[in-house]
Amino acid sequence: MPIKYPEVMSLKTEGVPYAWSDREVMLYALGIGMGEDPLNGKELLFVNEGYINPKPLKVVPTFASVCTWGANPGPIDLNRVMVVDAERDISFHKPLPVTAKVTADSSVVGVYDKGKEKGAVIQRQTVVKDAASGEKLVTIRSSTFARGDGGFGGPTEGQPEPHQVPTRTPDLSVDIPIRPNQALIYRLSGDRNPLHSDPEFASRAGFKMPILHGMCTYGLTCRAVLQTYADYDPTAFRRHAVRFSSPVFPGETITVDMWKDGNVVSFEAHIKARNVTVVKNGRTELA
């Protein structure tokens, strides 16, 4: 059925409870490939609480993207086979704790019609708050590209302008290999869409094999900034935003090009083997 614009724009939920522990924190870090080198002490701080020499566990900033997995403003009738992540923009108000009880307020903030054969973009916002104090921890703005749901007669303009990366040669580039089973690990953090695990389902969606979660790619770009300009300090992050431009396949190597101007790190991500850009208009704001 066509998207019902007024109804979708009115969707909202408030005060939905969620909680997490160190298990979810470490599983997410493993899901974006951290800890692959078991002797890398800086990465072990994200995946191992250290029984012999106890050290405070660190939380990857983009754990925020799964900490209230399933939070949404309400059901939207979409062609699920044709739905992919389009953008993610998270603002960090406070560092995420290792264990927490929180609430989530979710709403639809925009729906844009790209045309009958071109799909639709749905923008949602989720504000995560500490359950006890009511303090904001993160604000998550997400865009979903519903490739099979355009032509419903909604607005065609009004989306925020994307961040423009510098045109100069990148200041720094890092290569991050993706394990062949990366999507199977990452899906345990919440997103069990069979597009990322079932070859037959992926084929019906037009892909040669299950693709990596867009949000796993999002986490990989966070890793690139975290291990370079942030020196593995998650409290340095104030914002991390990307626009997804092409799918990534497990087993590939992602190259993240970065430009630093003041406290802003601009970035793009590529798969050199296929000569394709998978993330555009990336922006990290550091303290």
Side-chain angles (χ1 to χ4, degrees):
M1 295 179 63
I3 292 173
K4 297 179 179 179
Y5 181 74
E7 293 182 17
V8 171
M9 285 297 298
S10 69
L11 292 174
K12 178 185 294 186
T13 57
E14 295 182 337
V16 182
Y18 290 89
W20 67 81
S21 68
D22 62 352
R23 182 182 185 278
E24 288 75 29
V25 166
M26 290 186 281
L27 182 59
Y28 175 81
L30 290 169
I32 62 170
M34 299 193 77
E36 186 164 354
D37 178 357
L39 298 181
N40 183 332
K42 289 186 176 181
E43 288 203 356
L44 283 176
L45 292 175
F46 293 86
V47 296
N48 176 33
E49 65 276 22
Y51 283 110
I52 297 177
N53 296 303
K55 296 179 180 178
L57 190 68
K58 292 185 176 183
V59 183
V60 179
T62 49
F63 171 69
S65 64
V66 301
C67 72
T68 57
W69 178 257
N72 67 82
I76 303 174
D77 188 14
L78 302 172
N79 181 350
R80 296 295 173 184
V81 175
M82 302 293 283
V83 171
V84 295
D85 272 312
E87 296 176 301
R88 196 65 97 248
D89 185 346
I90 299 182
S91 295
F92 306 95
H93 309 301
K94 288 183 173 295
L96 289 174
V98 173
T99 63
K101 292 182 179 179
V102 301
T103 61
D105 300 338
S106 300
S107 60
V108 175
V109 294
V111 183
Y112 303 96
D113 192 347
K114 298 177 72 68
K116 186 171 180 58
E117 303 299 325
K118 297 181 179 180
V121 175
I122 299 98
Q123 293 182 330
R124 302 175 177 89
Q125 176 174 284
T126 297
V127 179
V128 181
K129 303 175 183 177
D130 180 83
S133 68
E135 288 186 306
K136 290 183 181 180
L137 297 177
V138 294
T139 297
I140 306 165
R141 292 182 69 95
S142 61
S143 292
T144 298
F145 183 30
R147 296 180 294 159
D149 292 281
F152 61 91
T156 60
E157 298 180 350
Q159 296 185 66
E161 289 295 320
H163 171 66
Q164 297 301 313
V165 303
T167 57
R168 67 179 187 271
T169 301
D171 300 329
L172 195 63
S173 296
V174 296
D175 293 332
I176 302 178
I178 302 164
R179 293 194 296 264
N181 66 346
Q182 198 75 61
L184 299 178
I185 299 172
Y186 183 85
R187 70 192 295 268
L188 300 179
S189 286
D191 186 352
R192 301 202 180 190
N193 185 337
L195 178 62
H196 309 294
S197 60
D198 187 324
E200 182 179 343
F201 188 94
S203 178
R204 294 207 312 268
F207 298 105
K208 64 179 182 180
M209 62 183 290
I211 64 174
L212 193 67
H213 303 70
M215 294 313 301
C216 186
T217 302
Y218 180 67
L220 292 171
T221 61
C222 177
R223 270 186 67 190
V225 179
L226 184 65
Q227 71 187 52
T228 54
Y229 291 117
D231 192 28
Y232 287 99
D233 179 8
T235 69
F237 281 70
R238 294 294 177 268
R239 182 184 178 194
H240 190 71
V242 307
R243 174 173 288 192
F244 304 107
S245 55
S246 189
V248 175
F249 295 100
E252 295 187 314
T253 294
I254 188 169
T255 299
V256 184
D257 294 332
M258 293 171 280
W259 299 261
K260 190 172 188 297
D261 296 285
N263 71 325
V264 174
V265 178
S266 302
F267 60 88
E268 288 190 338
H270 315 271
I271 303 297
K272 289 181 178 178
R274 290 191 284 123
N275 191 30
V276 62
T277 299
V278 296
V279 165
K280 293 182 178 180
N281 311 111
R283 177 186 178 95
T284 300
E285 295 177 12
L286 300 173

